[in-house]
Amino acid sequence: MELRQLRSFVVVAEELNVGRAAVRLHLTQPSLSRQIAALERDIGVELFARIKKRFVLTAAGATFLAEAQDLLRRSEEAVRAAQRTQRGELGTLRLRFVQSATFEALPRLLGAFRTAYPEVVLDLETLTTLRQTEALRDGRIDVGLLRPSAPSAEPADEKAAVQLAPGLSSRVVSSDPVLVALPARHRLARRKRLRLAELGGEPFVFYNRPSGPVVHDTLIGFCRAAGFTPRIEQEAADVQTIVSLVAAGIGISLLIGPTPPSNPNSVVYRELSDDLPLWQLCVAWSPDNRSPVLARFLEILD
């Protein structure tokens, strides 16, 4: 039994006239009649009968018609789904991101992608830069939002490529400064800009090193270049916890922007006047990944 036989049967059942059905199907009447006869032989039942010169469906034919219509509908849906998958309109996008991407870049990019491709399933998870690069090379994820291993002395143009790791492609989506997080009642909170050296005697809340060794070591390096080693009062694995600890008055902190939303009566963020390098945020992917969904996501970067 072939789909063309089912289509011929359904048209004949709708018309109940072989001549009109043959016209719709662009077939000759004898050819259409042979198709219906072959179908009846294949399934072993009579589908049509003549009653008082009328061409009608048998009881078996009526049952078969409903099932045949459903099979044709599902076959058409399968074809459309395959075509849409090939165009990247269906499927799953496996995206991982560093936490600092969640406050601006991630909602911006995902919002645009969701608007354009609402039926793509998003597989999302926070992951460090190192683990993202490994997962991209291994083909376990499609795209990453991550930070290069070191900040850049010059702001990179958006859409510029950055060398992250062998075998990966990338595009810069933002170049972000280091900011100071202060309790709202801190003596320095009234200032708009601060020098890093002014923070030398303060207790700090810092990223713990296992969660981000490059960020941890680089920020400490900035402090040492300004003339002091930060006195770390408390460590935390994520920026939300750090901000909560700052709000509680445990200490101040250095964060890579953009910063999480917070109550200005609890925590304030201030710029540094030091000439510190900016930290780029990049979209990264493997050029060997031929996923149509990935291709559609990369289009929104243009």
Side-chain angles (χ1 to χ4, degrees), residues 8 40 49 53 59 64 89 99 120 131 138-139 177 179 188 201-202 205 218 221 232 234 247 251 270 278 295:
S8 296
E40 289 178 322
K53 298 183 179 181
F64 188 69
E89 298 170 3
Q99 192 179 41
V120 171
R131 293 181 65 189
D138 293 345
L179 302 171
L188 297 175
E202 299 291 332
V205 179
T218 302
I232 300 174
Q234 183 68 48
R270 296 293 181 257
L278 300 174

Side-chain angles (χ1 to χ4, degrees), residues 19-39:
R20 290 196 299 269
V23 171
R24 280 181 57 184
L25 292 166
H26 304 289
L27 296 172
T28 64
Q29 287 191 45
S31 176
L32 179 56
S33 296
R34 285 194 296 271
Q35 278 194 34
I36 298 302
L39 180 61

